[in-house]
mmCIF file of all heavy atoms in Angstrom:
data_model
loop_
_atom_site.group_PDB
_atom_site.id
_atom_site.type_symbol
_atom_site.label_atom_id
_atom_site.label_comp_id
_atom_site.label_asym_id
_atom_site.label_seq_id
_atom_site.Cartn_x
_atom_site.Cartn_y
_atom_site.Cartn_z
ATOM 1 N N THR F 44 -58.696 11.774 -78.736
ATOM 2 C CA THR F 44 -59.568 12.874 -78.339
ATOM 3 C C THR F 44 -59.582 13.947 -79.431
ATOM 4 O O THR F 44 -58.653 14.041 -80.235
ATOM 5 C CB THR F 44 -59.095 13.522 -77.034
ATOM 6 O OG1 THR F 44 -57.822 14.148 -77.248
ATOM 7 C CG2 THR F 44 -58.984 12.487 -75.907
ATOM 8 N N ILE F 45 -60.624 14.770 -79.402
ATOM 9 C CA ILE F 45 -60.685 15.904 -80.323
ATOM 10 C C ILE F 45 -59.539 16.861 -80.022
ATOM 11 O O ILE F 45 -58.913 17.409 -80.945
ATOM 12 C CB ILE F 45 -62.042 16.618 -80.206
ATOM 13 C CG1 ILE F 45 -63.176 15.696 -80.679
ATOM 14 C CG2 ILE F 45 -62.036 17.926 -80.984
ATOM 15 C CD1 ILE F 45 -63.110 15.297 -82.144
ATOM 16 N N GLY F 46 -59.232 17.063 -78.753
ATOM 17 C CA GLY F 46 -58.103 17.917 -78.393
ATOM 18 C C GLY F 46 -56.789 17.398 -78.940
ATOM 19 O O GLY F 46 -55.947 18.180 -79.413
ATOM 20 N N GLY F 47 -56.602 16.082 -78.890
ATOM 21 C CA GLY F 47 -55.383 15.495 -79.448
ATOM 22 C C GLY F 47 -55.304 15.679 -80.954
ATOM 23 O O GLY F 47 -54.227 15.936 -81.500
ATOM 24 N N MET F 48 -56.436 15.553 -81.632
ATOM 25 C CA MET F 48 -56.460 15.790 -83.073
ATOM 26 C C MET F 48 -56.104 17.241 -83.387
ATOM 27 O O MET F 48 -55.378 17.518 -84.353
ATOM 28 C CB MET F 48 -57.845 15.454 -83.635
ATOM 29 C CG MET F 48 -58.221 13.986 -83.539
ATOM 30 S SD MET F 48 -59.945 13.707 -84.081
ATOM 31 C CE MET F 48 -60.183 11.997 -83.587
ATOM 32 N N ALA F 49 -56.607 18.166 -82.577
ATOM 33 C CA ALA F 49 -56.294 19.581 -82.781
ATOM 34 C C ALA F 49 -54.813 19.858 -82.535
ATOM 35 O O ALA F 49 -54.188 20.628 -83.275
ATOM 36 C CB ALA F 49 -57.162 20.446 -81.871
ATOM 37 N N GLU F 50 -54.265 19.241 -81.517
ATOM 38 C CA GLU F 50 -52.836 19.416 -81.245
ATOM 39 C C GLU F 50 -51.996 18.907 -82.402
ATOM 40 O O GLU F 50 -51.002 19.533 -82.795
ATOM 41 C CB GLU F 50 -52.454 18.696 -79.952
ATOM 42 C CG GLU F 50 -53.011 19.354 -78.700
ATOM 43 C CD GLU F 50 -52.711 18.557 -77.446
ATOM 44 O OE1 GLU F 50 -51.973 17.546 -77.541
ATOM 45 O OE2 GLU F 50 -53.226 18.935 -76.373
ATOM 46 N N ARG F 51 -52.376 17.781 -82.979
ATOM 47 C CA ARG F 51 -51.634 17.251 -84.127
ATOM 48 C C ARG F 51 -51.776 18.187 -85.324
ATOM 49 O O ARG F 51 -50.805 18.436 -86.049
ATOM 50 C CB ARG F 51 -52.144 15.848 -84.481
ATOM 51 C CG ARG F 51 -51.305 15.146 -85.554
ATOM 52 C CD ARG F 51 -51.846 13.764 -85.856
ATOM 53 N NE ARG F 51 -51.831 12.907 -84.694
ATOM 54 C CZ ARG F 51 -50.758 12.228 -84.263
ATOM 55 N NH1 ARG F 51 -49.600 12.319 -84.937
ATOM 56 N NH2 ARG F 51 -50.831 11.467 -83.194
ATOM 57 N N LEU F 52 -52.995 18.691 -85.552
ATOM 58 C CA LEU F 52 -53.200 19.645 -86.647
ATOM 59 C C LEU F 52 -52.271 20.839 -86.491
ATOM 60 O O LEU F 52 -51.590 21.247 -87.442
ATOM 61 C CB LEU F 52 -54.667 20.085 -86.663
ATOM 62 C CG LEU F 52 -55.123 21.065 -87.747
ATOM 63 C CD1 LEU F 52 -56.629 20.910 -87.972
ATOM 64 C CD2 LEU F 52 -54.814 22.517 -87.405
ATOM 65 N N LEU F 53 -52.227 21.407 -85.293
ATOM 66 C CA LEU F 53 -51.405 22.600 -85.060
ATOM 67 C C LEU F 53 -49.913 22.282 -85.173
ATOM 68 O O LEU F 53 -49.129 23.102 -85.672
ATOM 69 C CB LEU F 53 -51.719 23.189 -83.690
ATOM 70 C CG LEU F 53 -53.116 23.813 -83.562
ATOM 71 C CD1 LEU F 53 -53.454 24.081 -82.093
ATOM 72 C CD2 LEU F 53 -53.222 25.096 -84.374
ATOM 73 N N ALA F 54 -49.512 21.103 -84.742
ATOM 74 C CA ALA F 54 -48.097 20.727 -84.833
ATOM 75 C C ALA F 54 -47.658 20.543 -86.279
ATOM 76 O O ALA F 54 -46.513 20.859 -86.629
ATOM 77 C CB ALA F 54 -47.858 19.442 -84.045
ATOM 78 N N ASP F 55 -48.567 20.059 -87.128
ATOM 79 C CA ASP F 55 -48.220 19.784 -88.523
ATOM 80 C C ASP F 55 -48.468 20.976 -89.448
ATOM 81 O O ASP F 55 -47.956 20.997 -90.572
ATOM 82 C CB ASP F 55 -49.050 18.594 -89.035
ATOM 83 C CG ASP F 55 -48.693 17.280 -88.344
ATOM 84 O OD1 ASP F 55 -47.619 17.218 -87.713
ATOM 85 O OD2 ASP F 55 -49.492 16.332 -88.437
ATOM 86 N N ALA F 56 -49.252 21.947 -89.013
ATOM 87 C CA ALA F 56 -49.680 23.041 -89.881
ATOM 88 C C ALA F 56 -48.613 24.125 -89.988
ATOM 89 O O ALA F 56 -47.732 24.238 -89.132
ATOM 90 C CB ALA F 56 -50.971 23.650 -89.349
ATOM 91 N N PRO F 57 -48.686 24.953 -91.037
ATOM 92 C CA PRO F 57 -47.832 26.139 -91.102
ATOM 93 C C PRO F 57 -48.092 27.054 -89.910
ATOM 94 O O PRO F 57 -49.089 26.900 -89.187
ATOM 95 C CB PRO F 57 -48.254 26.803 -92.418
ATOM 96 C CG PRO F 57 -48.922 25.716 -93.199
ATOM 97 C CD PRO F 57 -49.563 24.810 -92.205
ATOM 98 N N GLU F 58 -47.205 28.031 -89.723
ATOM 99 C CA GLU F 58 -47.327 28.912 -88.567
ATOM 100 C C GLU F 58 -48.648 29.669 -88.562
ATOM 101 O O GLU F 58 -49.274 29.854 -87.522
ATOM 102 C CB GLU F 58 -46.160 29.902 -88.538
ATOM 103 C CG GLU F 58 -46.169 30.820 -87.326
ATOM 104 C CD GLU F 58 -46.150 30.081 -85.992
ATOM 105 O OE1 GLU F 58 -45.579 28.969 -85.926
ATOM 106 O OE2 GLU F 58 -46.714 30.620 -85.019
ATOM 107 N N ARG F 59 -49.091 30.137 -89.730
ATOM 108 C CA ARG F 59 -50.379 30.821 -89.832
ATOM 109 C C ARG F 59 -51.083 30.317 -91.089
ATOM 110 O O ARG F 59 -50.441 30.107 -92.118
ATOM 111 C CB ARG F 59 -50.191 32.343 -89.879
ATOM 112 C CG ARG F 59 -51.478 33.114 -89.566
ATOM 113 C CD ARG F 59 -51.188 34.520 -89.049
ATOM 114 N NE ARG F 59 -52.433 35.187 -88.654
ATOM 115 C CZ ARG F 59 -53.071 36.083 -89.394
ATOM 116 N NH1 ARG F 59 -52.586 36.446 -90.581
ATOM 117 N NH2 ARG F 59 -54.183 36.637 -88.971
ATOM 118 N N PHE F 60 -52.381 30.134 -91.002
ATOM 119 C CA PHE F 60 -53.078 29.461 -92.092
ATOM 120 C C PHE F 60 -54.563 29.792 -92.056
ATOM 121 O O PHE F 60 -55.098 30.298 -91.061
ATOM 122 C CB PHE F 60 -52.883 27.949 -92.010
ATOM 123 C CG PHE F 60 -53.288 27.340 -90.679
ATOM 124 C CD1 PHE F 60 -54.568 26.833 -90.488
ATOM 125 C CD2 PHE F 60 -52.386 27.275 -89.618
ATOM 126 C CE1 PHE F 60 -54.946 26.278 -89.271
ATOM 127 C CE2 PHE F 60 -52.763 26.724 -88.393
ATOM 128 C CZ PHE F 60 -54.032 26.227 -88.219
ATOM 129 N N ASP F 61 -55.237 29.509 -93.171
ATOM 130 C CA ASP F 61 -56.690 29.499 -93.242
ATOM 131 C C ASP F 61 -57.159 28.062 -93.046
ATOM 132 O O ASP F 61 -56.484 27.113 -93.479
ATOM 133 C CB ASP F 61 -57.169 30.025 -94.593
ATOM 134 C CG ASP F 61 -56.858 31.503 -94.793
ATOM 135 O OD1 ASP F 61 -56.864 32.254 -93.804
ATOM 136 O OD2 ASP F 61 -56.607 31.907 -95.942
ATOM 137 N N LEU F 62 -58.309 27.885 -92.405
ATOM 138 C CA LEU F 62 -58.761 26.554 -92.012
ATOM 139 C C LEU F 62 -60.133 26.256 -92.605
ATOM 140 O O LEU F 62 -61.072 27.035 -92.446
ATOM 141 C CB LEU F 62 -58.820 26.473 -90.486
ATOM 142 C CG LEU F 62 -59.220 25.134 -89.858
ATOM 143 C CD1 LEU F 62 -58.269 24.027 -90.285
ATOM 144 C CD2 LEU F 62 -59.247 25.257 -88.334
ATOM 145 N N VAL F 63 -60.228 25.115 -93.298
ATOM 146 C CA VAL F 63 -61.495 24.637 -93.860
ATOM 147 C C VAL F 63 -61.806 23.301 -93.197
ATOM 148 O O VAL F 63 -61.013 22.351 -93.301
ATOM 149 C CB VAL F 63 -61.399 24.472 -95.391
ATOM 150 C CG1 VAL F 63 -62.697 23.882 -95.937
ATOM 151 C CG2 VAL F 63 -61.104 25.811 -96.057
ATOM 152 N N ALA F 64 -62.946 23.216 -92.512
ATOM 153 C CA ALA F 64 -63.263 22.037 -91.721
ATOM 154 C C ALA F 64 -64.650 21.523 -92.074
ATOM 155 O O ALA F 64 -65.571 22.301 -92.323
ATOM 156 C CB ALA F 64 -63.191 22.374 -90.234
ATOM 157 N N LEU F 65 -64.788 20.190 -92.042
ATOM 158 C CA LEU F 65 -66.073 19.554 -92.356
ATOM 159 C C LEU F 65 -66.413 18.527 -91.290
ATOM 160 O O LEU F 65 -65.569 17.708 -90.907
ATOM 161 C CB LEU F 65 -66.018 18.890 -93.729
ATOM 162 C CG LEU F 65 -67.317 18.234 -94.215
ATOM 163 C CD1 LEU F 65 -67.493 18.406 -95.723
ATOM 164 C CD2 LEU F 65 -67.369 16.736 -93.861
ATOM 165 N N GLY F 66 -67.660 18.552 -90.818
ATOM 166 C CA GLY F 66 -68.143 17.548 -89.886
ATOM 167 C C GLY F 66 -67.327 17.519 -88.604
ATOM 168 O O GLY F 66 -67.174 18.539 -87.916
ATOM 169 N N MET F 67 -66.790 16.362 -88.252
ATOM 170 C CA MET F 67 -65.911 16.239 -87.097
ATOM 171 C C MET F 67 -64.761 17.231 -87.184
ATOM 172 O O MET F 67 -64.239 17.684 -86.153
ATOM 173 C CB MET F 67 -65.368 14.808 -86.999
ATOM 174 C CG MET F 67 -64.459 14.555 -85.803
ATOM 175 S SD MET F 67 -63.738 12.886 -85.804
ATOM 176 C CE MET F 67 -62.495 13.073 -87.103
ATOM 177 N N GLY F 68 -64.348 17.581 -88.402
ATOM 178 C CA GLY F 68 -63.314 18.588 -88.572
ATOM 179 C C GLY F 68 -63.685 19.909 -87.932
ATOM 180 O O GLY F 68 -62.804 20.659 -87.472
ATOM 181 N N GLY F 69 -64.981 20.229 -87.887
ATOM 182 C CA GLY F 69 -65.414 21.436 -87.198
ATOM 183 C C GLY F 69 -65.146 21.362 -85.706
ATOM 184 O O GLY F 69 -64.746 22.363 -85.082
ATOM 185 N N PHE F 70 -65.359 20.166 -85.110
ATOM 186 C CA PHE F 70 -65.056 20.003 -83.682
ATOM 187 C C PHE F 70 -63.565 20.242 -83.437
ATOM 188 O O PHE F 70 -63.169 20.858 -82.440
ATOM 189 C CB PHE F 70 -65.433 18.602 -83.202
ATOM 190 C CG PHE F 70 -66.814 18.131 -83.605
ATOM 191 C CD1 PHE F 70 -67.075 16.778 -83.743
ATOM 192 C CD2 PHE F 70 -67.841 19.031 -83.858
ATOM 193 C CE1 PHE F 70 -68.331 16.315 -84.099
ATOM 194 C CE2 PHE F 70 -69.114 18.587 -84.226
ATOM 195 C CZ PHE F 70 -69.346 17.231 -84.348
ATOM 196 N N ILE F 71 -62.746 19.733 -84.360
ATOM 197 C CA ILE F 71 -61.297 19.910 -84.257
ATOM 198 C C ILE F 71 -60.936 21.381 -84.441
ATOM 199 O O ILE F 71 -60.057 21.922 -83.747
ATOM 200 C CB ILE F 71 -60.580 19.018 -85.283
ATOM 201 C CG1 ILE F 71 -60.909 17.535 -85.026
ATOM 202 C CG2 ILE F 71 -59.074 19.243 -85.254
ATOM 203 C CD1 ILE F 71 -60.523 16.610 -86.159
ATOM 204 N N ALA F 72 -61.625 22.054 -85.358
ATOM 205 C CA ALA F 72 -61.378 23.484 -85.569
ATOM 206 C C ALA F 72 -61.677 24.283 -84.303
ATOM 207 O O ALA F 72 -60.901 25.185 -83.930
ATOM 208 C CB ALA F 72 -62.231 23.991 -86.732
ATOM 209 N N PHE F 73 -62.787 23.980 -83.624
ATOM 210 C CA PHE F 73 -63.092 24.691 -82.384
ATOM 211 C C PHE F 73 -61.999 24.462 -81.340
ATOM 212 O O PHE F 73 -61.603 25.395 -80.628
ATOM 213 C CB PHE F 73 -64.442 24.223 -81.822
ATOM 214 C CG PHE F 73 -65.631 24.591 -82.675
ATOM 215 C CD1 PHE F 73 -66.633 23.670 -82.922
ATOM 216 C CD2 PHE F 73 -65.753 25.859 -83.229
ATOM 217 C CE1 PHE F 73 -67.732 24.000 -83.701
ATOM 218 C CE2 PHE F 73 -66.855 26.203 -84.012
ATOM 219 C CZ PHE F 73 -67.844 25.265 -84.245
ATOM 220 N N ALA F 74 -61.493 23.232 -81.252
ATOM 221 C CA ALA F 74 -60.422 22.941 -80.299
ATOM 222 C C ALA F 74 -59.147 23.688 -80.663
ATOM 223 O O ALA F 74 -58.443 24.199 -79.786
ATOM 224 C CB ALA F 74 -60.166 21.435 -80.244
ATOM 225 N N ALA F 75 -58.832 23.754 -81.960
ATOM 226 C CA ALA F 75 -57.645 24.497 -82.400
ATOM 227 C C ALA F 75 -57.790 25.985 -82.102
ATOM 228 O O ALA F 75 -56.820 26.661 -81.721
ATOM 229 C CB ALA F 75 -57.402 24.270 -83.890
ATOM 230 N N LEU F 76 -58.996 26.520 -82.247
ATOM 231 C CA LEU F 76 -59.242 27.927 -81.930
ATOM 232 C C LEU F 76 -59.078 28.192 -80.435
ATOM 233 O O LEU F 76 -58.611 29.267 -80.038
ATOM 234 C CB LEU F 76 -60.637 28.333 -82.378
ATOM 235 C CG LEU F 76 -60.830 28.526 -83.883
ATOM 236 C CD1 LEU F 76 -62.318 28.586 -84.223
ATOM 237 C CD2 LEU F 76 -60.128 29.787 -84.359
ATOM 238 N N ARG F 77 -59.468 27.241 -79.619
ATOM 239 C CA ARG F 77 -59.256 27.413 -78.178
ATOM 240 C C ARG F 77 -57.772 27.416 -77.844
ATOM 241 O O ARG F 77 -57.326 28.144 -76.960
ATOM 242 C CB ARG F 77 -59.975 26.294 -77.405
ATOM 243 C CG ARG F 77 -61.473 26.491 -77.270
ATOM 244 C CD ARG F 77 -62.084 25.495 -76.296
ATOM 245 N NE ARG F 77 -62.182 24.170 -76.867
ATOM 246 C CZ ARG F 77 -63.269 23.709 -77.504
ATOM 247 N NH1 ARG F 77 -64.335 24.472 -77.647
ATOM 248 N NH2 ARG F 77 -63.283 22.484 -77.984
ATOM 249 N N GLU F 78 -57.011 26.599 -78.563
ATOM 250 C CA GLU F 78 -55.586 26.419 -78.258
ATOM 251 C C GLU F 78 -54.722 27.531 -78.842
ATOM 252 O O GLU F 78 -53.810 28.035 -78.173
ATOM 253 C CB GLU F 78 -55.127 25.068 -78.812
ATOM 254 C CG GLU F 78 -53.681 24.717 -78.522
ATOM 255 C CD GLU F 78 -53.428 24.398 -77.060
ATOM 256 O OE1 GLU F 78 -54.403 24.052 -76.354
ATOM 257 O OE2 GLU F 78 -52.264 24.500 -76.631
ATOM 258 N N ALA F 79 -54.955 27.921 -80.092
ATOM 259 C CA ALA F 79 -54.043 28.862 -80.776
ATOM 260 C C ALA F 79 -54.809 29.718 -81.772
ATOM 261 O O ALA F 79 -54.582 29.640 -82.983
ATOM 262 C CB ALA F 79 -52.920 28.087 -81.470
ATOM 263 N N PRO F 80 -55.713 30.568 -81.305
ATOM 264 C CA PRO F 80 -56.532 31.346 -82.238
ATOM 265 C C PRO F 80 -55.713 32.286 -83.116
ATOM 266 O O PRO F 80 -56.125 32.602 -84.236
ATOM 267 C CB PRO F 80 -57.456 32.142 -81.301
ATOM 268 C CG PRO F 80 -56.739 32.191 -79.990
ATOM 269 C CD PRO F 80 -56.014 30.877 -79.900
ATOM 270 N N GLU F 81 -54.564 32.722 -82.626
ATOM 271 C CA GLU F 81 -53.745 33.671 -83.390
ATOM 272 C C GLU F 81 -53.150 33.063 -84.647
ATOM 273 O O GLU F 81 -52.731 33.792 -85.558
ATOM 274 C CB GLU F 81 -52.630 34.231 -82.497
ATOM 275 C CG GLU F 81 -51.499 33.252 -82.186
ATOM 276 C CD GLU F 81 -51.844 32.194 -81.140
ATOM 277 O OE1 GLU F 81 -52.924 32.276 -80.523
ATOM 278 O OE2 GLU F 81 -51.011 31.282 -80.935
ATOM 279 N N ARG F 82 -53.141 31.741 -84.739
ATOM 280 C CA ARG F 82 -52.547 31.084 -85.904
ATOM 281 C C ARG F 82 -53.540 30.921 -87.058
ATOM 282 O O ARG F 82 -53.139 30.606 -88.176
ATOM 283 C CB ARG F 82 -51.978 29.726 -85.501
ATOM 284 C CG ARG F 82 -50.769 29.838 -84.583
ATOM 285 C CD ARG F 82 -50.179 28.487 -84.260
ATOM 286 N NE ARG F 82 -49.791 27.779 -85.476
ATOM 287 C CZ ARG F 82 -49.416 26.497 -85.494
ATOM 288 N NH1 ARG F 82 -49.403 25.801 -84.365
ATOM 289 N NH2 ARG F 82 -49.081 25.913 -86.633
ATOM 290 N N ILE F 83 -54.823 31.100 -86.796
ATOM 291 C CA ILE F 83 -55.863 30.866 -87.801
ATOM 292 C C ILE F 83 -56.414 32.216 -88.247
ATOM 293 O O ILE F 83 -56.911 32.993 -87.432
ATOM 294 C CB ILE F 83 -56.977 29.978 -87.225
ATOM 295 C CG1 ILE F 83 -56.393 28.627 -86.778
ATOM 296 C CG2 ILE F 83 -58.086 29.773 -88.258
ATOM 297 C CD1 ILE F 83 -57.330 27.803 -85.925
ATOM 298 N N ARG F 84 -56.331 32.503 -89.556
ATOM 299 C CA ARG F 84 -56.797 33.793 -90.052
ATOM 300 C C ARG F 84 -58.270 33.750 -90.439
ATOM 301 O O ARG F 84 -59.080 34.480 -89.903
ATOM 302 C CB ARG F 84 -55.959 34.251 -91.253
ATOM 303 C CG ARG F 84 -56.374 35.642 -91.765
ATOM 304 C CD ARG F 84 -55.547 36.097 -92.947
ATOM 305 N NE ARG F 84 -55.715 35.204 -94.094
ATOM 306 C CZ ARG F 84 -55.230 35.477 -95.309
ATOM 307 N NH1 ARG F 84 -54.535 36.585 -95.513
ATOM 308 N NH2 ARG F 84 -55.415 34.628 -96.303
ATOM 309 N N HIS F 85 -58.627 32.917 -91.403
ATOM 310 C CA HIS F 85 -60.006 32.789 -91.862
ATOM 311 C C HIS F 85 -60.474 31.359 -91.630
ATOM 312 O O HIS F 85 -59.666 30.414 -91.632
ATOM 313 C CB HIS F 85 -60.135 33.138 -93.344
ATOM 314 C CG HIS F 85 -59.755 34.547 -93.661
ATOM 315 N ND1 HIS F 85 -59.249 34.919 -94.895
ATOM 316 C CD2 HIS F 85 -59.803 35.680 -92.929
ATOM 317 C CE1 HIS F 85 -58.994 36.214 -94.897
ATOM 318 N NE2 HIS F 85 -59.331 36.696 -93.718
ATOM 319 N N LEU F 86 -61.785 31.193 -91.482
ATOM 320 C CA LEU F 86 -62.354 29.910 -91.103
ATOM 321 C C LEU F 86 -63.537 29.579 -92.004
ATOM 322 O O LEU F 86 -64.366 30.447 -92.302
ATOM 323 C CB LEU F 86 -62.818 29.987 -89.641
ATOM 324 C CG LEU F 86 -63.446 28.753 -89.001
ATOM 325 C CD1 LEU F 86 -62.442 27.611 -88.919
ATOM 326 C CD2 LEU F 86 -63.955 29.119 -87.597
ATOM 327 N N VAL F 87 -63.609 28.319 -92.438
ATOM 328 C CA VAL F 87 -64.770 27.809 -93.157
ATOM 329 C C VAL F 87 -65.276 26.586 -92.405
ATOM 330 O O VAL F 87 -64.556 25.586 -92.267
ATOM 331 C CB VAL F 87 -64.434 27.440 -94.615
ATOM 332 C CG1 VAL F 87 -65.671 26.869 -95.319
ATOM 333 C CG2 VAL F 87 -63.893 28.651 -95.375
ATOM 334 N N LEU F 88 -66.492 26.662 -91.912
ATOM 335 C CA LEU F 88 -67.124 25.563 -91.191
ATOM 336 C C LEU F 88 -68.190 24.947 -92.088
ATOM 337 O O LEU F 88 -69.146 25.620 -92.480
ATOM 338 C CB LEU F 88 -67.767 26.071 -89.904
ATOM 339 C CG LEU F 88 -66.812 26.644 -88.858
ATOM 340 C CD1 LEU F 88 -67.603 27.285 -87.717
ATOM 341 C CD2 LEU F 88 -65.873 25.574 -88.322
ATOM 342 N N THR F 89 -68.019 23.677 -92.406
ATOM 343 C CA THR F 89 -68.900 22.987 -93.351
ATOM 344 C C THR F 89 -69.557 21.796 -92.674
ATOM 345 O O THR F 89 -68.870 20.966 -92.066
ATOM 346 C CB THR F 89 -68.093 22.497 -94.566
ATOM 347 O OG1 THR F 89 -67.375 23.589 -95.135
ATOM 348 C CG2 THR F 89 -68.997 21.878 -95.612
ATOM 349 N N SER F 90 -70.870 21.713 -92.743
ATOM 350 C CA SER F 90 -71.593 20.508 -92.310
ATOM 351 C C SER F 90 -71.233 20.126 -90.883
ATOM 352 O O SER F 90 -71.005 18.946 -90.590
ATOM 353 C CB SER F 90 -71.283 19.342 -93.264
ATOM 354 O OG SER F 90 -71.499 19.709 -94.611
#
Side-chain angles (χ1 to χ4, degrees):
T44 66
I45 294 297
M48 295 174 190
E50 290 175 6
R51 187 180 299 278
L52 181 156
L53 291 167
D55 293 344
E58 183 58 30
R59 197 156 185 259
F60 55 93
D61 293 327
L62 182 58
V63 176
L65 182 144
M67 181 185 75
F70 312 153
I71 300 166
F73 293 136
L76 285 166
R77 282 190 285 267
E78 182 71 21
E81 73 284 352
R82 292 183 58 190
I83 301 167
R84 183 180 62 171
H85 298 152
L86 180 64
V87 178
L88 296 172
T89 306
S90 308

